[in-house]
Amino acid sequence: MEKDRTFNKFSVTAIALCLAMNLAGGWLALTFGLPLFFDAAGTVLCAALCGYLPAFIVGFCSNSIISLVDTTTLYFGIVSILFAAVTVPLAKCGIFKRLLTSFIALPPLVLVGTGLGSLTTWMLAGMSFGSGTTSALAIAISRNFFMGTFAAQI
């Protein structure tokens, strides 16, 4: 029987460092009012290096901790988990072995972040655009494009 290596010294260290990376990114976004959240980079890195479970822990724990300051971030925990779920198979295929091939991972990660992230934002704002820095642009897009409300959130 093969020994389970999900939680070896490397993965425990990676979980701690990637969690700190996510928390720093979330803190920067909340502190400076940035329209982008940088709290998923650690989850993606942990998924590429350690696999599903460590990355799920990093993604969900970082959103849970940040939610102590901003409660809406807890709802984005599923987005972080999906980042990990998309990254692990890409890492197993060797996508991240070279910098140039790493860019292949961008479209699926952007789709998860903008698609599900935007849908979550839209639902949290009561099926409206909220009042953030980009809401005026989102309203203009929603009025002029097919599937405007959803497209505007992306």
Side-chain angles (χ1 to χ4, degrees):
M1 183 177 235
E2 192 173 313
K3 188 177 177 183
D4 181 17
R5 298 182 188 267
T6 302
F7 290 103
N8 56 26
K9 288 179 186 177
F10 177 78
S11 64
V12 171
T13 303
I15 288 170
L17 292 174
C18 291
L19 182 60
M21 188 175 171
N22 277 1
L23 293 175
W27 176 82
L28 284 171
L30 288 173
T31 302
F32 296 109
L34 301 175
L36 299 173
F37 273 79
F38 302 106
D39 61 351
T43 304
V44 171
L45 180 62
C46 191
L49 296 175
C50 302
Y52 289 103
L53 188 57
F56 290 168
I57 291 169
V58 169
F60 190 75
C61 286
S62 61
N63 282 81
S64 298
I65 293 168
I66 296 169
S67 74
L68 296 173
V69 177
D70 179 10
T71 55
T72 60
T73 59
L74 185 60
Y75 298 102
F76 293 91
I78 190 67
V79 177
S80 294
I81 290 171
L82 286 175
F83 276 134
V86 167
T87 302
V88 171
L90 293 171
K92 287 183 178 182
C93 291
I95 296 290
F96 299 107
K97 289 185 178 181
R98 293 191 182 113
L99 181 62
L100 193 59
T101 59
S102 296
F103 289 105
I104 295 171
L106 286 177
L109 290 173
V110 166
L111 185 64
V112 168
T114 59
L116 187 58
S118 296
L119 186 61
T120 305
T121 301
W122 184 62
M123 289 189 297
L124 286 173
M127 309 306 187
S128 70
F129 296 108
S131 60
T133 49
T134 59
S135 59
L137 175 63
I139 291 168
I141 291 171
S142 74
R143 291 182 182 153
N144 297 309
F145 289 98
F146 173 70
M147 291 186 62
T149 302
F150 181 72
Q153 286 296 321
I154 294 175

